[in-house]
Amino acid sequence: MFRQEEDIFNILLGAVSEGVIIVNEQQEIVEANTAAAKMFGYSRDELIQQSLNILIPMKYHAGHGTHFNGFMKNRETRQMGHGRDLHGAHKNGTTFPVEAGLNPFSIKEKNYVMALVIDITIRKQQEAKIQELYADLEQKVIQRTKELSDTISELEAENKLRLQAEKDAKSALKREQELNELKTKFLSLVSHEFKTPLSSILTSSMLLGKYKLSEQQAKRDRHIKIISDKVHYLNNILNDFLSVEKLEKGKVNYKLSTFKMSKVVNEVVYNANMLLKEGQQINYPDDIDGYSLYQDEKIIELALSNVVNNAIKYSSENTIIDISITQNDAMTTINIKDNGIGIPEREQKNIFNRYFRAENALLVQGTGIGLNIVKSHLENLKGSISFESTENEGSTFTLNIPNKATV
């Protein structure tokens, strides 16, 4: 049985794309996965029972002991990207930048630290390239501004036209800077949204091996649920990215059928009830059995589900989400009102932009893709989505859907 559990443990370590290194209190390496060994240029057997210093550049040896002892004393999990810059020492003598998340744990009264290590050489190179591009862009702007200034001096008769040209140039520069900031935020967002659940999956997988007694089934179930929830979360993110790709390439095939609006609402509310925070409640109409649509049922369900789930996510406990639906001869209108954090006025123009997330929502998990996907689908179906929002008071999203699709 022990051998079987050890094999499972090794399989789990080998399946992790990040490097995993486990050390004891004496800074001796007691376990390392294939990814870690490959990253540092060693075989796994070469690393086992070696001092952790073998993976640390010589110039950092003197201070590393103090940092390690301080960490073991406080024993607090440190996430990737937090703390000082780190470098690893390759077997061939070179060094390279790394990012490490540290997770302390104990087995049989012995203390260990599990480090998840990522080689960020390519990221650092990309950051340097971005800085170079920014510098080049700034130089171009300076040059362009000088050219505009010379033109203004030479063509005073066309003062109005020149001023407008300068204004347009500044506006274009601002849009370009906003785009660059958006791309940077997206890279950071994807990195965070994937690393955090993957770390939870790894930790829960490893902890499962600790609970071997039958009376510890509840603890095993809890970690199994964590793994399942995180896998579903990652799967939803990947599905969003696939949806974006299909929409961009025009490869979405809508499947039209006649269905009752009440069926979609009941399905969305049933699933949303499992996400409700304590004291939250969804109010929805129960007199819409006569409302029918000839549309893509799954797309309408996706759109309504996305907005309702956002209302739950961005609202606090003990709040109400109201869903109201009206229908005339041509159009069905759905309003979803919440009492959540709202959207800052200065950021409302970007809310349907892909990967955009308002500043007051950055601490809540999300990719900034959902509303963009909903808007694209509804517009393809000749519908629309709009909203009204006040920061710290709440938002109302309105979905206008043609009763009969014409795609």
Side-chain angles (χ1 to χ4, degrees):
M1 184 64 179
F2 177 79
R3 178 63 183 173
Q4 184 180 10
E5 291 178 347
E6 185 180 45
D7 289 342
I8 294 173
F9 177 78
N10 289 331
I11 290 172
L12 289 172
L13 282 181
V16 178
S17 60
E18 292 91 349
V20 179
I21 298 171
I22 301 176
V23 300
N24 58 23
E25 289 184 285
Q26 290 74 42
Q27 299 189 52
E28 294 176 344
I29 300 172
V30 298
E31 186 57 275
N33 69 349
T34 302
K38 183 178 180 181
M39 184 186 306
F40 289 92
Y42 295 91
S43 68
R44 176 182 172 278
D45 291 339
E46 288 178 302
L47 291 178
I48 302 305
Q49 296 183 343
Q50 292 293 325
S51 169
L52 183 58
N53 278 339
I54 194 176
L55 305 181
I56 299 172
M58 182 68 69
K59 65 179 180 180
Y60 298 117
H61 284 187
H64 180 260
T66 301
H67 287 296
F68 184 88
N69 292 333
F71 175 78
M72 291 302 292
K73 181 179 180 181
N74 294 325
R75 292 181 58 75
E76 293 180 353
T77 298
R78 188 176 78 190
Q79 296 181 353
M80 289 188 178
H82 289 207
R84 56 197 177 90
D85 290 339
L86 300 176
H87 291 80
H90 196 276
K91 183 179 179 181
N92 63 14
T94 60
T95 62
F96 57 97
V98 299
E99 190 172 82
L102 304 181
N103 302 274
F105 65 97
S106 301
I107 298 178
K108 296 181 179 180
E109 299 182 356
K110 291 184 179 181
N111 296 323
Y112 299 87
V113 177
M114 178 178 66
L116 274 67
V117 185
I118 298 176
D119 182 347
I120 59 173
T121 300
I122 295 177
R123 186 200 304 173
K124 290 293 185 181
Q125 292 172 347
Q126 291 174 338
E127 290 174 353
K129 182 63 176 177
I130 289 173
Q131 291 301 321
E132 181 182 337
L133 291 174
Y134 279 159
D136 182 60
L137 176 61
E138 185 176 2
Q139 187 59 41
K140 289 180 179 178
V141 172
I142 293 173
Q143 181 63 30
R144 180 58 178 159
T145 302
K146 183 179 182 301
E147 292 173 359
L148 287 173
S149 178
D150 292 342
T151 302
I152 290 172
S153 299
E154 296 169 1
L155 304 173
E156 292 184 358
E158 299 180 10
N159 183 58
K160 184 178 179 179
L161 182 61
R162 292 194 299 273
L163 290 175
Q164 185 61 45
E166 185 178 6
K167 180 180 178 181
D168 291 344
K170 290 181 178 179
S171 177
L173 174 60
K174 183 179 179 180
R175 288 195 297 271
E176 188 167 353
Q177 289 172 334
E178 289 176 347
L179 179 60
N180 287 333
E181 290 175 1
L182 189 60
K183 289 178 179 178
T184 301
K185 283 184 179 180
F186 169 66
L187 291 174
S188 175
L189 173 69
V190 170
S191 175
H192 173 75
E193 291 298 319
F194 273 79
K195 286 191 297 186
T196 300
L198 285 174
S199 295
S200 296
I201 291 171
L202 175 61
T203 301
S204 292
S205 299
M206 297 182 67
L207 290 176
L208 279 174
K210 291 178 57 179
Y211 306 125
K212 303 174 182 178
L213 303 177
S214 58
E215 57 266 26
Q216 293 177 315
Q217 183 62 39
K219 293 182 177 179
R220 288 195 291 270
D221 290 343
R222 180 166 61 87
H223 287 292
I224 290 172
K225 186 178 186 304
I226 289 174
I227 294 172
S228 177
D229 289 345
K230 297 302 180 183
V231 169
H232 282 302
Y233 176 74
L234 291 173
N235 185 59
N236 288 337
I237 292 179
L238 292 175
N239 285 338
D240 281 347
F241 283 120
L242 291 174
S243 295
V244 168
E245 183 182 13
K246 288 181 179 179
L247 284 165
E248 284 185 340
K249 295 181 178 180
K251 293 184 177 180
V252 180
N253 295 317
Y254 294 104
K255 299 179 180 179
L256 305 179
S257 63
T258 300
F259 58 90
K260 289 186 177 294
M261 193 67 223
S262 57
K263 177 184 176 184
V264 171
V265 172
N266 290 335
E267 184 70 20
V268 169
V269 172
Y270 176 81
N271 293 327
N273 280 333
M274 292 183 283
L275 305 176
L276 291 176
K277 301 172 186 174
E278 184 175 353
Q280 282 187 331
Q281 180 181 335
I282 300 176
N283 291 335
Y284 62 100
D286 56 5
D287 57 348
I288 56 173
D289 286 339
Y291 295 172
S292 295
L293 297 177
Y294 179 73
Q295 278 285 1
D296 187 314
E297 181 177 349
K298 291 300 180 183
I299 296 300
I300 303 305
E301 181 180 327
L302 178 149
L304 180 58
S305 178
N306 184 281
V307 179
V308 171
N309 290 351
N310 280 350
I312 295 171
K313 185 192 304 184
Y314 297 115
S315 298
S316 60
E317 299 176 348
N318 302 308
T319 54
I320 294 176
I321 292 93
D322 284 309
I323 302 175
S324 62
I325 303 176
T326 59
Q327 187 178 74
N328 58 29
D329 292 340
M331 193 76 65
T332 297
T333 300
I334 307 173
N335 289 298
I336 302 95
K337 182 179 183 299
D338 65 54
N339 302 109
I341 61 177
I343 305 166
E345 184 176 357
R346 66 184 179 277
E347 298 182 319
Q348 291 185 9
K349 66 180 184 296
N350 298 316
I351 201 65
F352 292 113
N353 291 348
R354 191 175 303 161
Y355 311 128
F356 176 81
R357 304 196 70 208
E359 290 293 335
N360 62 344
L362 294 179
L363 297 180
V364 182
Q365 278 190 326
T367 60
I369 298 176
L371 286 177
N372 177 266
I373 293 174
V374 169
K375 183 174 185 292
S376 297
H377 278 309
L378 289 180
E379 289 179 349
N380 288 346
L381 294 170
K382 306 301 185 292
S384 65
I385 179 172
S386 59
F387 71 94
E388 294 180 356
S389 184
T390 302
E391 190 172 8
N392 299 320
E393 293 184 13
S395 304
T396 298
F397 278 80
T398 300
L399 280 61
N400 287 304
I401 307 167
N403 295 339
K404 187 174 182 180
T406 56
V407 295

